[in-house]
Amino acid sequence: MLSLPTHLLQYLSDIHLKGLNPAWIKLDHDGLHIAEFYGDWAYYCSKPLSVGMAADALHPVLFGLLPMTENFHLSQISLENDGFFDLDILWHKGVCWLLFSDVTAIMQRFQDMQQTSNNLHLMNSRYKQTLERHMGSLIVEKVHSGDFQLEEEGVRQHITTLFVDIRSFTVFNEAHDAQVVMSTVNQYLDVMLKSVLSHAGIVDKITGDGAMTVFGVMPHEQSSEILAFEAALMMMEHTLALNAKRAKNNLEQLKIGIGIASGEAVVGIVGTHERRAFTAFGRHVNLAARLESKAPAGFILLDDPTKQALRNNYDQQSFDLTHHHLKGIGDMPVWQVKYTSDLWLPV
Amino acid sequence: MIQKKVCMLGGFGVGKTSLVERFVYSRFTDEYISTMGLKIYRKRLSNNGTDVNMMVWDIYGEEDKRKVATSYMKGASGAILVADGTRPETLDTTTVLLGRLQDTLKVEIPWVLLINKHDLTDQWALSEAQLKALSVAGRPMYTSSAKTGKNVETAFEQLAQMMVRV
């Protein structure tokens, strides 16, 4: 540095120092008032400077800082002219100096990076929140920690699938304004999906006025059949409560029907690189959908494997055996539970 | 007239600038522009006959890789700590910043905690029980919305009152 030729030193000074447009002040011995001032102060301060003037009147950033008894740096302070400056307070041989440097050009370059970085963070946070809403915070935590992975090639496992749907929705849809329909569906979906998420279920897809949900994908101490059935009972109970609230406000009440079936399925990720979704494939998945389509309002329909898995946990008197012809499947035994507020199920 | 420096402290994107803009200019915009460095706003308040000139330091939000420097906190008489009610993790950031503020100033100064974005009801992630737990021991805490103005004036006025009392 010492051997740097003067013309190179001058060159570096021109490109770096002049760009900073430095302006500086030597303060009085009290460290409060201006003794001398130099540089382009008109750029930093709308007030004209004068010797003897209180230095903290230059810019509000100086309020409360003076007198300063140590070196001090504050960066990226906004100016009224949309510029930015850095402030340095320096001590030299018992005298305090204030140095203002223009960093607007640096800040403009930095701003784009900062904005992009923050936007990405916020987007990631929103993505996580959306994921939590569809899969529950438990699964999102496990996905983030690497304890649970959704394999692209799919994993074969025993699961229980629950389909739920609002009954007579078409009639309601045709009789009301679209916004009323949207808000009403959201009220009922809220009840349905919260019940799923609180029983370690995953919302596979929302089908307008209903949903396909799966249980048993997430490790849990309870069986997938019990989790799904408990979620179904909670949906029914909360739907009754929602309807009671709507009745008080003279709003139409809707009812739901539920179909549940269990069996082996392949669960994993489907879709393209840009748009992927979790889903489950298996014969019982279609069966659950068919059962839901046959379920009258307020009824839970179950296939025989699901019912058998519940036999030690619930009063068997509450399950009625019926027979149905299911499209694409044929005749088969179906168990049904009619939900009422006084339904007593524990053994 | 007394002058008081107030620091706005919180994570990035929690709405610090929006709260100050609402308080000082009664305006709000949905557009998110990340705050660079520091911008100082002034607002005069009257508290029981005492005029308080608040110099509100709107400081860039704390990030993992870009901490708020303690030099911004020097000389502060009060602080508004801001968290985002749709991102509960931002509450932890306010705790860290409060600790740094108190370590820097070596004295306790008045502060108010705002859990902002209360207008975003469908994204709100804090339960009533969690909010109740936050407000224990008489800690000054409000849910706020820079969009609707909810509790914005109240929080600044309470802080002014606390600073005058000190």
Side-chain angles (χ1 to χ4, degrees):
Chain A
M1 183 69 185
L2 287 173
S3 59
L4 200 66
T6 313
H7 68 282
L8 293 183
L9 192 62
Q10 187 60 51
Y11 171 75
L12 288 175
S13 161
D14 284 352
I15 59 169
H16 290 294
L17 284 179
K18 283 185 183 168
L20 291 174
N21 192 19
W24 62 103
I25 286 172
K26 182 183 174 185
L27 292 178
D28 265 338
H29 289 292
D30 63 3
L32 294 170
H33 295 91
I34 299 172
E36 298 170 24
F37 61 93
Y38 309 91
D40 180 14
W41 277 105
Y43 178 74
Y44 297 103
C45 176
S46 52
K47 291 176 192 164
L49 270 64
S50 60
V51 171
M53 173 180 170
D56 65 4
L58 288 178
H59 191 278
V61 77
L62 291 165
F63 168 77
L65 285 179
L66 300 176
M68 182 66 78
T69 53
E70 58 189 3
N71 288 353
F72 179 80
H73 175 80
L74 203 55
S75 56
Q76 307 167 356
I77 303 149
S78 170
L79 284 162
E80 280 175 13
N81 61 12
D82 292 334
F84 287 89
F85 71 98
D86 278 4
L87 164 71
D88 285 280
I89 303 179
L90 299 162
W91 273 85
H92 182 68
K93 294 180 180 173
V95 176
C96 187
W97 296 75
L98 301 185
L99 173 65
F100 281 41
S101 317
D102 181 21
V103 291
T104 308
I106 301 165
M107 293 295 292
Q108 279 164 349
R109 286 198 295 274
F110 189 43
Q111 167 88 55
D112 290 340
M113 281 194 304
Q114 187 69 48
Q115 187 74 44
T116 307
S117 162
N118 286 5
N119 284 345
L120 282 171
H121 270 95
L122 291 173
M123 203 187 296
N124 185 40
S125 176
R126 276 196 292 270
Y127 164 74
K128 193 177 164 214
Q129 213 172 31
T130 307
L131 201 62
E132 279 181 0
R133 283 173 177 218
H134 284 79
M135 301 180 123
S137 57
L138 190 61
I139 195 167
V140 175
E141 260 171 48
K142 289 195 183 252
V143 169
H144 271 253
S145 64
D147 290 347
F148 177 73
Q149 289 181 339
L150 297 167
E151 304 290 344
E152 270 188 64
E153 62 269 30
V155 175
R156 194 174 284 275
Q157 64 183 112
H158 178 90
I159 61 167
T160 298
T161 303
L162 179 157
F163 277 83
V164 56
D165 195 69
I166 297 174
R167 299 286 90 127
S168 312
F169 179 70
T170 314
V171 180
F172 179 80
N173 191 13
E174 281 167 8
H176 294 84
D177 175 71
Q179 272 192 325
V180 174
V181 173
M182 174 80 87
S183 129
T184 308
V185 165
N186 272 330
Q187 281 186 14
Y188 284 91
L189 277 176
D190 189 52
V191 162
M192 297 175 197
L193 302 188
K194 275 183 181 156
S195 308
V196 173
L197 299 180
S198 62
H199 287 90
I202 295 177
V203 180
D204 183 304
K205 54 183 75 70
I206 293 171
T207 55
D209 60 331
M212 170 186 165
T213 70
V214 295
F215 298 80
V217 176
M218 283 286 295
H220 197 281
E221 59 197 27
Q222 290 281 21
S223 71
S224 61
E225 291 86 355
I226 290 179
L227 289 168
F229 190 59
E230 285 289 335
L233 294 174
M234 186 189 268
M235 280 184 208
M236 287 293 184
E237 184 191 342
H238 289 186
T239 303
L240 282 183
L242 175 60
N243 280 338
K245 208 165 131 186
R246 287 176 64 84
K248 273 188 194 165
N249 296 318
N250 294 320
L251 293 169
E252 223 160 320
Q253 298 160 59
L254 299 174
K255 288 182 177 168
I256 58 171
I258 294 171
I260 303 176
S262 304
E264 197 175 73
V266 173
V267 296
I269 306 289
V270 290
T272 64
H273 182 72
E274 292 75 21
R275 179 75 177 88
R276 291 164 182 234
F278 165 84
T279 198
F281 291 105
R283 289 183 63 186
H284 84 276
V285 177
N286 297 334
L287 174 57
R290 297 286 178 234
L291 290 175
E292 175 268 302
S293 70
K294 290 281 182 186
F299 277 79
I300 304 165
L301 266 55
L302 309 107
D303 70 340
D304 193 55
T306 305
K307 155 71 171 56
Q308 296 314 322
L310 301 174
R311 66 180 177 276
N312 295 328
N313 298 73
Y314 301 94
D315 176 13
Q316 298 302 291
Q317 308 268 328
S318 307
F319 295 83
D320 294 326
L321 181 62
T322 60
H323 284 84
H324 282 276
H325 180 80
L326 302 174
K327 194 180 161 191
I329 295 171
D331 289 330
M332 66 175 301
V334 173
W335 295 90
Q336 66 178 36
V337 174
K338 183 172 191 258
Y339 188 85
T340 54
S341 55
D342 57 353
L343 181 69
W344 180 250
L345 281 164
V347 176
Chain B
M1 155 106 68
I2 52 171
Q3 296 214 80
K4 296 285 181 187
K5 169 178 166 179
V6 173
C7 286
M8 300 293 294
L9 297 171
F12 69 91
V14 296
K16 296 181 293 299
T17 304
S18 295
L19 288 165
V20 182
E21 292 263 332
R22 164 64 69 187
F23 172 58
V24 177
Y25 302 123
S26 305
R27 67 187 180 202
F28 174 80
T29 169
D30 266 325
E31 192 187 4
Y32 169 55
I33 297 171
S34 164
T35 298
M36 305 299 294
L38 161 71
K39 186 169 182 181
I40 301 174
Y41 296 76
R42 291 181 209 233
K43 171 115 175 181
R44 189 175 293 189
L45 288 179
S46 187
N47 184 266
N48 290 332
T50 308
D51 283 338
V52 183
N53 185 18
M54 267 198 181
M55 302 177 59
V56 184
W57 284 40
D58 180 26
I59 303 166
Y60 64 90
E62 170 103 345
E63 286 176 65
D64 288 345
K65 290 179 182 163
R66 193 167 174 242
K67 310 283 181 205
V68 172
T70 53
S71 51
Y72 290 94
M73 300 171 179
K74 278 199 188 261
S77 300
I80 301 270
L81 297 159
V82 187
D84 175 350
T86 71
R87 291 187 291 145
E89 67 274 14
T90 57
L91 271 167
D92 299 336
T93 311
T94 59
T95 309
V96 169
L97 285 165
L98 179 61
R100 199 178 304 153
L101 177 73
Q102 288 170 341
D103 286 349
T104 304
L105 301 178
K106 315 275 187 225
V107 287
E108 288 264 340
I109 59 164
W111 55 269
V112 173
L113 171 65
L114 289 181
I115 320 278
N116 197 32
K117 304 192 186 178
H118 201 227
D119 52 284
L120 299 177
T121 45
D122 61 329
Q123 293 171 42
W124 190 256
L126 291 168
S127 65
E128 284 302 315
Q130 285 171 301
L131 291 175
K132 209 171 169 185
L134 281 169
S135 62
V136 291
R139 286 195 297 188
M141 190 276 287
Y142 296 97
T143 54
S144 65
S145 165
K147 188 171 187 172
T148 64
K150 182 191 174 192
N151 283 334
V152 178
E153 198 103 345
T154 310
F156 280 95
E157 278 170 4
Q158 177 165 357
L159 184 66
Q161 202 171 25
M162 291 158 81
M163 290 190 300
V164 169
R165 236 187 276 149
V166 170

